[in-house]
Amino acid sequence: MRVSIDENNAYISGTLACAPVLDHQLYGEDFYRASVLVPRLSGTIDCIPITIPGKLLFTMPAEGDRVAVSGQLRSYNRRSEHGGRLCVTLFARAIQPMFDEAAPENYLVLTGYLCKPAVFRTTPFMREIGDVLLACNRSFNKSDYLPCIAWGRNARMVSEMPVGSRVRIEGRI
C-alpha cells in the first residue's frame, strides 16, 4: 500500500498504541480514534494520532497490532473550556494489518499555500528553522491548515516566499 502523489497524502506503518475507540458520529457514520507508534532511525518514537471511519474497520484491531495506514493529514479546532486548540490527525483512507516484519514507515507529501509569513529562527546550536502554516485544499470546499517545520536552506528559502505561494513539501509526520 503506497500513496499516490497529489495534494495531501500520508503513509505510516507501525504499532497501534491502543485499540480504536469511538470518537464521534457524523451523518450516521462512526469515526474512531487511535494512535500509531512509529520509530525513527534515531530511536525516537513518534506517536501519530489517526482517525478511522467505521466502514474501514472490518475487524477491530487491538493494542500492539502492527498496521499500515494511508490517508490525509487533517486539522480541526477542538474547543474546550480553556479555549481552542488546533488538532492534527491522519485521516485514514485505508488501514490494513501488517503480518511481515517490514521496517516502519512515516511519509508525507503536502501541496498547499502559505497562509502567513514563515517565522525564521536559529536554534542555540545554530540550526536554521522555518515555521510555516500551510493551507491544503480538499474536497467540498474544505481546507486543512497544517503547521510545518522546514530546516536548513529550506527554512531560509521558505522565509523569503510571499504569503499565498504554492509549495510542495515532502517529509514525515
Side-chain angles (χ1 to χ4, degrees):
M1 175 170 61
R2 201 41 142 157
V3 294
S4 62
I5 307 290
D6 65 18
E7 300 292 308
N8 179 342
N9 271 303
Y11 174 83
I12 63 170
S13 63
T15 305
L16 271 178
C18 61
V21 294
L22 183 63
D23 187 52
H24 65 281
Q25 291 184 322
L26 188 62
Y27 302 116
E29 184 176 1
D30 294 337
F31 291 88
Y32 294 81
R33 69 179 150 79
S35 295
V36 176
L37 302 175
V38 182
R40 296 185 198 172
L41 291 176
S42 67
T44 300
I45 296 177
D46 293 318
C47 183
I48 300 172
I50 59 173
T51 301
I52 309 164
K55 65 184 176 187
L56 294 182
L57 293 175
F58 304 112
T59 60
M60 187 63 72
E63 180 178 340
D65 285 354
R66 290 179 38 86
V67 295
V69 182
S70 64
Q72 292 184 326
L73 206 57
R74 301 258 177 107
S75 66
Y76 62 95
N77 287 312
R78 177 164 281 177
R79 299 192 193 327
S80 70
E81 64 274 359
H82 304 296
R85 183 178 148 202
L86 181 68
C87 295
V88 178
T89 183
L90 173 55
F91 184 84
R93 289 195 160 167
I95 183 169
Q96 61 190 42
M98 290 183 59
F99 299 109
D100 59 5
E101 291 299 319
E105 293 187 60
N106 183 344
Y107 183 71
L108 173 69
V109 176
L110 297 173
T111 302
Y113 300 89
L114 296 179
C115 296
K116 59 184 186 178
V119 176
F120 180 79
R121 58 194 167 95
T122 305
T123 69
F125 295 110
M126 303 309 291
R127 302 264 336 248
E128 297 170 318
I129 298 175
D131 295 307
V132 175
L133 187 62
L134 196 66
C136 293
N137 296 327
R138 61 177 156 106
S139 303
F140 308 109
N141 287 330
K142 301 245 183 212
S143 294
D144 292 297
Y145 297 91
L146 304 167
C148 302
I149 298 174
W151 295 86
R153 85 173 164 207
N154 291 329
R156 268 184 272 119
M157 188 171 31
V158 77
S159 70
E160 296 169 2
M161 292 180 171
V163 170
S165 295
R166 185 173 165 94
V167 296
R168 181 172 186 261
I169 295 174
E170 290 185 47
R172 70 171 184 255
I173 303 171

